[in-house]
Amino acid sequence: MVAKELEALLSENRRFKPSEEFQSKANATSDAYKESSEDRLGFWAKQSERLTWFEPWTEVLDWKPPFAKWFIDGKLNACYNCVDRHLKTWRRNKAAIIFEGENGDGRVLTYQDLYREVSKFANVLKSLGIKKGDRVTIYLPMIPEAVIAMLACARLGAPHSVIFGGFSAESLKDRINDAQAKVLITSDGSFRKGNVVPLKANADTALLGVNCIEHVVVVKRTENKVQMQEGRDLWYHELMKDAKIVCPAEPMDAEDMLFILYTSGTTGKPKGVVHTTGGYMVGVSTTHDWVFDLKEDDVYWCTADVGWITGHSYIVYGPLANGATVFMYEGTPDYPAKDRFWELIEKYRVTILYTAPTAIRTFMKWGPNYPQERDLTSLRLLGSVGEPINPEAWIWYHKYIGGERCPIVDTWWQTETGMILMTPLPGVTETKPGSCTVPFPGVKMEIIDQAGNPVPKGSGGFIVAREPWPAMLRTVYNDPERYVSTYWSNWEGVYFAGDGAKWDEDGYFWILGRVDDVINVSGHRIGTAEVESALVDNSMVAEAACIGKEHDVKGQAVVCFVTLKEGFKVMDGLDDELKKHVAKKIGALARPEDIFFTAELPKTRSGKIMRRLLRDIAEGRALGDVSTLADASVLDFLKKKYNEEE
Ligand code: PRX
């Protein structure tokens, strides 16, 4: 895959310069690169002035690799920065959140409204015994209550753990247990393409395997019938009715935990990525302001779910800290029709759109008629995140959505990085379709080879960072050893992001995808080990190996190779059963596209499955290095079988 992408990218010669008009009004100028390269810490010190601090910090950075502390001794509150401080300005009555539901219902919350709802809900949480340091799990649809709940936790200093509403009961259970959360916030259901996903019922199933949850707060959204367990389960609207409006924001140390967010790793157990308060808030507010060139009258729409890092950093904390108007949509792009996004942009005059390549590829598949029949002239800037955007999709986005006038910011970052690390600055950087261009000011990234040496321009290697950045993850929850071994052990004192990249003669970065076994479906990382564990969980399955196979729309699709236990034969419908099983265990996202049954899997002599070779087979390539393979005949069998069934 790497070699092929490299070739395709090499032939990309198109260039796009910011227009003079855009340049002349842009929030960030090229001085930012100069200033930050002369004095990196001074640069971040200056950016920290964007926030309101209860007590000033005394030192910018304390760096004892791989543990970083930013803005030492500083005290602040993330919720205060996103809400309260705007009330002292004209923004008090500015729309903070413009919401539209899947069914077309809507709500607007001004900053004043948001303050009221968040403070009341913080008091509700307090009344349920939540205090600074307690963990709260949030399992909600894309509705304003999700943001309110996050900010209410931040107000009290209670780290939240948001679980994407598409995750199964099983995944929810594991994540609640890992965080040892005391309260779970969910809803009766969530709307999905006209149906109701029973979130509360999923939560009930999850809680059968959980002991730490004391209360479940249930938001009424879909009005479907739910079971309420006496003493444990409480309705949000009832609790909110009498809640007091005044709830002081807890002063937090810059290094106090703001949230935990679970992300897949290469081993079965998801990692609880820990983000803290000061550095994270400085990082996300600075990048949000400059990358999206935020103006007071913008209507900003990030289409991610709040359950992912993109939602945390660029729906909630970055934009609200900057006093933005955030548009929030509950549903999918194809319900009730395939022009839903364009209808919403036309209706709310959205000016900034931040979405994912998988969505763009879907729109491409549906054809340009849908956007062409809507007025998209309000748009002035487009963003992309989650996967490499292939040049064709970039050009399509530019032409049909951006009307050839909007700069595109292709932003590279991760759950772990917390903030955008590589991106164009829209009024400064000349863009090349398919490249995330260069590191953000104040961020240093390198591409190195196996030996740890920087590769020359024009070559590929591993993307790494030697210097910490403010929003960097601080640890893996309750597992600092895993933090060190996962991120800092490939090369001494070097953060390895897990991605391969190439840089070109101009020093632009081109992401080549992940070098480990994680599968990226529609921009969401799914660990092979998790899918494999789910398959092996079935009583007939002996062993499984999962890989990501290139997919036109999803970027990658999950393909599984499965061996059955002795005594079991492949029967009609078994593959469907296993697919369903995976979806139930992990969530619909992980549902395998194809399952192949085989007597053996290719393994190294030490017994490790060689997924790389399975990828070669699935993508019809000549096999790579087979020298470590234990039994070569396995491959011939698999190749034949694969080609027969494809
Ligand atoms: O492989 C990179 C890809 O997504 C991974 C991070 O996934 P996650 O933690 O779920 O966060 C996604 C949203 C920030 C990265 O290691 N990725 C993210 N953005 C890009 C990208 N690949 C190429 N280009 C991007 N702009």
Side-chain angles (χ1 to χ4, degrees), residues 12 31 401:
E12 178 54 61
D31 291 348
I401 309 305

PDB file of all heavy atoms in Angstrom, residues 12 31 401:
ATOM      1  N   GLU A  12       1.237  14.270  -8.080  1.00  0.00           N
ATOM      2  CA  GLU A  12       0.310  15.367  -7.773  1.00  0.00           C
ATOM      3  C   GLU A  12       1.042  16.711  -7.819  1.00  0.00           C
ATOM      4  O   GLU A  12       1.812  17.031  -6.921  1.00  0.00           O
ATOM      5  CB  GLU A  12      -0.311  15.128  -6.388  1.00  0.00           C
ATOM      6  CG  GLU A  12      -1.252  16.223  -5.952  1.00  0.00           C
ATOM      7  CD  GLU A  12      -2.339  16.479  -6.978  1.00  0.00           C
ATOM      8  OE1 GLU A  12      -3.108  15.569  -7.266  1.00  0.00           O
ATOM      9  OE2 GLU A  12      -2.387  17.615  -7.508  1.00  0.00           O
ATOM     10  N   ASP A  31       4.306  35.405  10.129  1.00  0.00           N
ATOM     11  CA  ASP A  31       5.126  35.758  11.300  1.00  0.00           C
ATOM     12  C   ASP A  31       5.065  34.673  12.371  1.00  0.00           C
ATOM     13  O   ASP A  31       6.010  34.487  13.139  1.00  0.00           O
ATOM     14  CB  ASP A  31       4.628  37.065  11.943  1.00  0.00           C
ATOM     15  CG  ASP A  31       4.892  38.255  11.049  1.00  0.00           C
ATOM     16  OD1 ASP A  31       5.649  38.084  10.072  1.00  0.00           O
ATOM     17  OD2 ASP A  31       4.325  39.335  11.315  1.00  0.00           O
ATOM     18  N   ILE A 401     -18.041  21.734  -3.404  1.00  0.00           N
ATOM     19  CA  ILE A 401     -18.505  22.256  -2.114  1.00  0.00           C
ATOM     20  C   ILE A 401     -17.936  23.666  -1.889  1.00  0.00           C
ATOM     21  O   ILE A 401     -18.644  24.571  -1.498  1.00  0.00           O
ATOM     22  CB  ILE A 401     -18.111  21.310  -0.947  1.00  0.00           C
ATOM     23  CG1 ILE A 401     -18.539  19.869  -1.273  1.00  0.00           C
ATOM     24  CG2 ILE A 401     -18.721  21.792   0.375  1.00  0.00           C
ATOM     25  CD1 ILE A 401     -19.997  19.682  -1.614  1.00  0.00           C
TER      26      ILE A 401
END
